[in-house]
Amino acid sequence: AQSVSQHNHHVILSEAASLELGCNYSYGGTVNLFWYVQYPGQHLQLLLKYFSGDPLVKGIKGFEAEFIKSKFSFNLRKPSVQWSDTAEYFCAVGETGGGADGLTFGKGTHLIIQP
Amino acid sequence: DAGITQSPRHKVTETGTPVTLRCHQTENHRYMYWYRQDPGHGLRLIHYSYGVKDTDKGEVSDGYSVSRSKTEDFLLTLESATSSQTSVYFCAITAGSTQYFGPGTRLTVL
């Protein structure tokens, strides 16, 4: 069975600080990897995804993530955060092939950006 | 957002009553999912569907049933709601190996 671990449940940063949120997964096969963001009171939105190829993927709003296969990690980064980045961030894993199986989510990281 | 709507958006009900949540999509996606979101647990898969009348259980299916009689609608039923089912419920579809989520239904069971 797949599992996803997000290292930090709560992160507080000041504006302009750099961000890195950790995500590790456990799965024996090849996977698709995702980061979703949930702004207060809203539904989940896709930030970025990795299926194959270049392990450094760029997403919306200046976010990027790096897939390190040897470490089973997919950490999310942003060089300079803004107050509007305050949200909950979820890492998720799915099996390759785009089949019916759902995603396995981490428990989320609540990010607060202080002005 | 992939044409997904959920109804109702908010519901308060009492323990022991049946509840049905509806997910409707307009883009003919084959795969549909129900998740619940709880603090400290992230999202957990309840049930999913890979076609009309084809459904399967997810990680936390106990106490829930689903039906899909049309491609566009995926219903989640709580046969007898319990307080532990107080949660936010999200429907999702898969498009191009990526899941997209509906706006959610906040359910409170008193």
Side-chain angles (χ1 to χ4, degrees):
Chain A
Q2 301 169 359
S3 66
V4 178
S5 175
Q6 292 184 236
H7 312 306
N8 310 99
H9 296 302
H10 297 277
V11 174
I12 301 174
L13 295 173
S14 299
E15 277 193 316
S18 64
L19 170 71
E20 181 161 2
L21 301 182
C23 173
N24 286 89
Y25 68 94
S26 172
Y27 183 65
T30 55
V31 294
N32 295 332
L33 296 160
F34 306 86
W35 276 98
Y36 287 88
V37 60
Q38 185 177 33
Y39 298 104
Q42 296 188 25
H43 64 286
L44 275 76
Q45 301 173 39
L46 180 69
L47 261 183
L48 48 77
K49 60 187 177 184
Y50 173 81
F51 291 168
S52 64
D54 188 344
L56 184 62
V57 293
K58 295 190 184 299
I60 61 172
K61 306 187 180 187
F63 286 91
E64 64 179 32
E66 184 176 13
F67 171 53
I68 302 179
K69 187 175 181 180
S70 61
K71 295 184 178 180
F72 296 90
S73 70
F74 190 55
N75 293 352
L76 181 70
R77 300 195 292 248
K78 186 172 185 179
S80 178
V81 295
Q82 302 172 315
W83 177 79
S84 58
D85 292 325
T86 293
E88 187 129 22
Y89 293 80
F90 294 95
C91 181
V93 170
E95 292 186 24
T96 57
D101 293 352
L103 299 179
T104 300
F105 283 82
K107 294 183 178 182
T109 297
H110 188 201
L111 175 66
I112 297 173
I113 306 301
Q114 296 177 332
Chain B
D1 290 312
I4 305 169
T5 57
Q6 293 184 231
S7 59
R9 295 291 313 280
H10 301 271
K11 186 170 182 65
V12 179
T13 191
E14 294 187 350
T15 299
T17 60
V19 177
T20 295
L21 309 182
R22 179 179 183 239
C23 177
H24 179 77
Q25 54 122 339
T26 59
E27 298 181 4
N28 208 36
H29 297 290
R30 178 181 175 187
Y31 303 119
M32 298 183 75
Y33 309 81
W34 278 107
Y35 291 86
R36 61 177 289 174
Q37 182 182 21
D38 304 288
H41 289 277
L43 275 79
R44 292 177 292 174
L45 182 66
I46 305 171
H47 281 279
Y48 61 97
S49 169
Y50 41 93
V52 172
K53 297 186 180 178
D54 289 326
T55 64
D56 208 345
K57 296 179 179 180
E59 177 189 355
V60 290
S61 60
D62 287 349
Y64 301 95
S65 62
V66 290
S67 65
R68 193 167 178 201
S69 58
K70 299 184 292 184
T71 299
E72 58 266 34
D73 288 325
F74 191 32
L75 303 180
L76 177 71
T77 298
L78 291 64
E79 302 289 348
S80 178
T82 67
S83 58
S84 65
Q85 294 175 311
T86 291
S87 185
V88 180
Y89 292 86
F90 287 100
C91 175
I93 59 92
T94 291
S97 298
T98 299
Q99 287 196 9
Y100 297 92
F101 290 81
T105 295
R106 183 175 294 277
L107 176 67
T108 303
V109 183
L110 301 176

